[in-house]
Amino acid sequence: MVNLARQQIGKKEIPIGSDGGVEVDPFNGGRHEAWCAASMAWLFRQIGAPLPGDKIPSPGPQGFNNNHSVTYIQTIAQKLNSWYSEPQTGDMILYNTSGNPSVVNSDRHIGLVVDVQGDIIYTVEFNWSGRVELTKQEWKTRYMYNK
């Protein structure tokens, strides 16, 4: 899954800000919705291990697919008791991007850990400013879901 995620680096929305385009439509089914979580579901489907309750998105009117939301993936992790405090390669990482750790359901994002080197993690982030990007960051986030 890590190699597949790395192969997506550089793909982007066309135009940026549209949540869609030929390069990202496979992740969200062409629905033009936020696609970080939809991309995680796509990755799991591609390796033959779909997330519990996953539904393949289909093109159609704009609308949010609740089975491809950060909250949905967080709920799965909680039900499976799959929270970890130490990141490992292949883990999904959940972020609270609001800057306020007490706000649980605000400004959420999810990515995939592709390498861990001490306190530094490398992640592939889908829908990171409208692109798939490789990031390097210090480990500060509290929640993870392990495949």
Side-chain angles (χ1 to χ4, degrees):
M1 183 162 69
V2 167
N3 290 336
L4 180 59
R6 286 181 177 271
Q7 292 169 11
Q8 310 313 307
I9 294 170
K11 292 186 177 182
K12 61 183 182 279
E13 299 170 356
I14 301 171
I16 295 293
S18 69
D19 283 332
V22 68
E23 293 182 350
V24 302
D25 284 350
F27 306 133
N28 65 13
R31 295 178 62 91
H32 295 263
E33 62 190 17
W35 47 281
C36 64
S39 299
M40 293 299 108
W42 177 85
L43 284 169
F44 276 84
R45 275 195 309 279
Q46 298 307 302
I47 65 166
L51 296 172
D54 182 34
K55 295 178 183 174
I56 298 173
S58 59
Q62 287 187 359
F64 192 71
N65 182 342
N66 286 327
N67 290 338
H68 294 157
S69 70
V70 175
T71 300
Y72 176 75
I73 292 174
Q74 178 182 350
T75 300
I76 291 170
Q78 289 170 327
K79 285 180 180 178
L80 297 176
N81 196 27
S82 295
W83 291 113
Y84 298 91
S85 59
E86 295 292 325
Q88 297 178 18
T89 299
D91 286 347
M92 286 189 282
I93 180 170
L94 283 75
Y95 301 91
N96 175 341
T97 59
S98 71
N100 182 352
S102 65
V103 180
V104 176
N105 290 315
S106 174
D107 299 321
R108 310 276 302 283
H109 181 71
I110 190 167
L112 185 75
V113 178
V114 297
D115 194 16
V116 180
Q117 296 179 8
D119 291 338
I120 302 296
I121 59 172
Y122 294 84
T123 63
V124 172
E125 304 293 344
F126 290 76
N127 203 8
W128 193 262
S129 298
R131 295 176 170 81
V132 182
E133 302 257 344
L134 178 66
T135 70
K136 174 184 176 183
Q137 51 196 308
E138 192 173 332
W139 171 241
K140 295 180 183 176
T141 309
R142 338 178 251 172
Y143 301 120
M144 303 194 68
Y145 172 70
N146 186 347
K147 65 176 179 49

